Amino acid sequence: MFICHGNICRSPMAEFILKDMVKKRGIADDFVIESSATSTEEIWGDVGNPVYPPAQRELASHGISCGDKRAVQLTKSDYARYDYLLCMDKMNLRNAQRILGTDKDNKLRMLLSFADGGSIADPWYCGNFDRTYSDIVRGCEGFLEYLGY
């Protein structure tokens, strides 16, 4: 599970980047890959907003579609469903901990902890969707290497 603030930029980009990577490697059946938000800002009633158009365009420029993905919020029950809950920045990590409670199995991590560390900048604010894409790819490659793929 990839986690960011609104689930319209970074975490869905990571979801579909990793889905593309594992499909191309022929290992997609080994994974359940989703994304979610720590906030409800992009969810109205029970309907989440779609992936932000500039994020969709960045993915599309690399041949990746995000289909009809809509924002959803992280839930406490997600902790039992996923082996890894990968956050984009420290605030996402803190907010995910608030939602999930105790991380007794050490599942909550920063995505870039599998690469060179640090946070993935939010392109909603910085406008750098290409850099976000590159950072996510680096994190996902490191994650797959960590898992032995």
Side-chain angles (χ1 to χ4, degrees):
M1 171 71 75
F2 292 104
I3 302 166
C4 71
H5 182 74
N7 193 219
I8 61 165
C9 292
R10 294 173 293 174
S11 63
M13 287 177 74
E15 173 185 345
F16 290 96
I17 289 167
L18 188 60
K19 283 179 176 178
D20 183 65
M21 288 176 166
V22 299
K23 181 181 176 186
K24 287 177 177 172
R25 294 176 188 199
I27 56 173
D29 290 345
D30 294 347
F31 292 84
V32 173
I33 305 166
E34 301 292 337
S35 64
S36 63
T38 59
S39 79
T40 58
E41 289 176 23
E42 298 295 336
I43 304 166
W44 303 94
D46 289 334
V47 180
N49 285 330
V51 176
Y52 190 48
Q56 289 183 37
R57 286 192 294 274
E58 184 62 33
L59 289 170
S61 75
H62 298 276
I64 301 170
S65 170
C66 56
D68 59 357
K69 167 71 180 173
R70 291 191 166 269
V72 297
Q73 188 177 28
L74 180 68
T75 65
K76 190 169 184 78
S77 64
D78 288 327
Y79 192 84
R81 182 161 187 230
Y82 296 95
D83 294 326
Y84 296 91
L85 297 118
L86 305 176
C87 299
M88 301 297 126
D89 64 36
K90 289 181 182 180
M91 185 173 289
N92 303 152
L93 186 67
R94 281 192 303 273
N95 289 334
Q97 287 170 328
R98 179 183 47 77
I99 293 167
L100 298 169
T102 305
D103 182 18
K104 63 181 176 32
D105 298 320
N106 195 32
K107 294 181 177 188
L108 270 169
R109 314 255 184 105
M110 298 277 287
L111 176 58
L112 286 181
S113 70
F114 296 99
D116 51 9
S119 293
I120 295 172
D122 191 341
W124 175 266
Y125 298 105
C126 70
N128 240 343
F129 288 86
D130 56 340
R131 179 175 166 216
T132 297
Y133 180 89
S134 297
D135 287 347
I136 291 170
V137 166
R138 206 169 65 253
C140 287
E141 289 287 356
F143 180 59
L144 287 173
E145 184 177 322
Y146 169 82
L147 295 176
Y149 288 100

